[in-house]
Amino acid sequence: MANDQPSDAYRCGQLYAALAALEKLSKGDRHSLGRLGARVEAAQQPRDRLTGHLKAVGEYVVDARKQGRGPAATAILRSLPDLLPDGRELPHKLNTAQQEEFCDGRHAQEKVFEHAEAFR
């Protein structure tokens, strides 16, 4: 990570964790980003796997609010701009090293959610 800025791959991992948490608040344990293999696919091809979920953010927030999970959904929604990669689009493909950065970013963001008061 040059200049102490997270790489786009790292940010994609953070974004994945946020979108997965938001989708889970909306749809419960059967959310698509929680299915087996979803993490690997997103780490390999973030643009293909995450763009649809970015477009569905509003729906996820509304559904979560209807289920009484509004504070957590709102906190995730507010965090999204800071998790977006710097480029104009999500990266299409990540190499092996970038996939590791993706995983590091995902783990870091999941820990943020574990320790955040809004998600307990």
Side-chain angles (χ1 to χ4, degrees), residues 66-92:
K66 287 178 184 176
Q67 298 172 44
R69 298 181 184 118
T74 300
I76 294 171
L77 176 65
R78 288 182 177 147
S79 75
L80 291 178
D82 293 331
L83 305 180
L84 292 170
D86 286 333
R88 296 186 88 180
E89 296 180 336
L90 297 175
H92 181 66

Side-chain angles (χ1 to χ4, degrees), residues 54-104:
L54 278 171
K55 291 178 181 179
V57 163
E59 175 187 329
Y60 295 161
V61 171
V62 169
D63 288 347
R65 290 184 64 167
K66 287 178 184 176
Q67 298 172 44
R69 298 181 184 118
T74 300
I76 294 171
L77 176 65
R78 288 182 177 147
S79 75
L80 291 178
D82 293 331
L83 305 180
L84 292 170
D86 286 333
R88 296 186 88 180
E89 296 180 336
L90 297 175
H92 181 66
K93 287 190 175 193
L94 299 179
N95 63 35
T96 303
Q98 291 170 318
Q99 290 176 35
E100 290 177 16
E101 291 178 32
F102 177 100
C103 291
D104 292 345

Side-chain angles (χ1 to χ4, degrees), residues 14-53:
Q14 292 178 294
L15 180 63
Y16 176 92
L19 292 172
L22 189 56
E23 185 187 26
K24 184 175 181 178
L25 290 171
S26 171
K27 300 183 183 284
D29 289 331
R30 291 182 282 170
H31 66 288
S32 66
L33 289 175
R35 71 172 174 69
L36 189 60
R39 291 176 180 164
V40 173
E41 292 170 356
Q44 293 170 343
Q45 298 179 319
R47 186 184 322 157
D48 292 347
R49 303 301 177 200
L50 299 180
T51 300
H53 293 282

